[in-house]
Amino acid sequence: AIYIGLRRNSAAAWLALALLFGAAETMFMAMAGDPVIEIAAATVLAPAACLCIGESLRLTTGGRRHWPLLAVVAALVGLSLLLLALGAPFVIQTVPFQLAGALALGDSIYRLRGSRNLLDICLMLNLGALLAIFLIRIPVYPLVFDPTVPLVTIKGSPIEQYMLTASALLVPPAVFMLLARIVGGIIATHRTRAERDGLTGLLNRRAFDEVSAAAGPDGGAVIFCDIDNFKRVNDHFGHQVGDAVICAFAGLIGNTGHCAARIGGEEFALLLPGVDAAEAGALAEYIRARFHEAAHHGVPAGHRLSASLGVAAYGPGLP
């Protein structure tokens, strides 16, 4: 339902697929009645669900797909199915697929590494606990259970019941935290589109007006910039070159560290709270000189571009 409500968001689609695999595994384990079918379903569906969670996170973090990891997980699942077909004891057959699930969750944790966001930290700890459950089963099953013990006995054992309960408690928070991450990313994207100029990434006119209106009472200065004869650049060299020139100027004023905005086609502004007119004038001259000296792709070397900049002070008592 959330996937549909988010207009078919890809990250939500992978999360929905993970939930579908998890639900299918639960149904097989509860209703199949055949241990071989139950084991085969868990072997395939549990790592698949973990991989889908990783894909959902990949889309929210902007990372690349780790093809070698996918190949290793697939190979481990295949090995586990082969052991099942050969009649290997469950405590041995389950080892590769438990490792596959752990590796798949490890990929998700790796994608969240280094984040200082509280939601990401909580999600990473949650996934780490789920990963631990996969890893704990690998040495515990052979140590606790005789190889001849059937699956139904293992399923009913206290240690497996504890692990299933822990998984049941950990999965819903993980789902909700991942959903919160997906929705938060969508909100941030829309906010960026509403506040930022699509070509340069600087603030747009509306956002700059809002920032200016919220400027502190101590005063400061504003620099207004205009690229000279910009229409000629478009007419003589083409709009692609014109866009490159605009981006170059935007990068120049954006690198000053002050609040920079594109307020029109070739018009820009810089807000400098706490800066007096003389200091703002020196910065304006620096920007003008740097832009005039710069070479631009598509513009002949002998054709230097220029910009006009004006400085105005603001604050109490100023018009």
Side-chain angles (χ1 to χ4, degrees):
I2 292 173
Y3 163 65
I4 296 172
L6 292 177
R7 298 182 180 181
R8 300 182 179 181
N9 176 272
S10 297
W14 281 107
L15 180 57
L17 190 59
L19 292 174
L20 180 63
F21 286 150
E25 180 191 1
T26 301
M27 292 180 66
F28 274 112
M29 296 295 288
M31 302 171 60
D34 185 338
V36 175
I37 295 177
E38 292 182 29
I39 296 171
T43 299
V44 174
L45 295 173
C50 296
L51 285 176
C52 289
I53 290 174
E55 282 296 296
S56 182
L57 268 174
R58 179 183 68 82
L59 292 171
T60 63
T61 58
R64 296 182 300 174
R65 183 177 284 117
H66 298 149
W67 290 108
L69 174 74
L70 296 179
V72 171
V73 170
L76 289 170
V77 170
L79 175 59
S80 198
L81 291 174
L82 177 61
L83 291 173
L84 177 63
L86 295 175
F90 175 72
V91 295
I92 302 300
Q93 179 273 334
T94 191
V95 171
F97 111 78
Q98 298 290 347
L99 184 57
L103 286 174
L105 286 176
D107 180 54
S108 297
I109 295 171
Y110 177 80
R111 295 184 186 280
L112 293 171
R113 74 193 188 287
S115 175
R116 296 184 179 180
N117 181 283
L118 180 60
L119 178 65
D120 289 348
I121 294 173
C122 291
L123 179 57
M124 186 165 52
L125 292 174
N126 183 285
L127 295 176
L130 286 170
L131 182 150
I133 293 174
F134 277 103
L135 292 179
I136 288 171
R137 286 191 176 107
I138 294 175
V140 166
Y141 279 176
L143 291 174
V144 174
F145 301 108
D146 188 89
T148 60
V149 172
L151 174 63
V152 64
T153 302
I154 295 176
K155 286 173 60 178
S157 65
I159 186 170
E160 181 60 16
Q161 290 300 311
Y162 289 142
M163 290 186 183
L164 289 175
T165 301
S167 297
L169 292 173
L170 289 168
V171 168
V175 171
F176 283 112
M177 284 188 283
L178 186 50
L179 276 175
R181 203 178 195 286
I182 293 170
V183 174
I186 293 172
I187 292 173
T189 298
H190 285 292
R191 182 176 180 179
T192 298
R193 290 176 179 174
E195 296 179 347
R196 296 284 172 174
D197 173 62
L199 178 62
T200 64
L202 300 180
L203 293 178
N204 57 27
R205 175 64 179 269
R206 183 179 65 83
F208 185 76
D209 288 345
E210 291 178 356
V211 173
S212 300
D218 296 334
V222 181
I223 301 176
F224 293 100
C225 321
D226 192 323
I227 300 176
D228 297 332
N229 302 313
F230 185 73
K231 186 177 183 302
R232 294 183 183 178
V233 175
N234 281 334
D235 291 343
H236 291 173
F237 310 116
H239 287 278
Q240 287 186 342
V241 173
D243 287 348
V245 170
I246 286 177
C247 289
F249 191 86
L252 184 60
I253 65 172
N255 289 335
T256 62
H258 296 286
C259 178
R262 183 187 181 195
I263 58 176
E266 70 278 11
E267 299 173 354
F268 300 83
L270 273 170
L271 182 67
L272 292 76
V275 176
D276 59 31
E279 188 177 349
L283 177 60
E285 174 59 23
Y286 169 80
I287 294 171
R288 185 203 64 78
R290 287 291 305 273
F291 182 68
H292 182 66
E293 295 168 359
H296 302 279
H297 180 72
V299 178
H303 189 100
R304 293 292 178 179
L305 302 181
S306 62
S308 299
L309 296 92
V311 176
Y314 69 88
L318 294 176

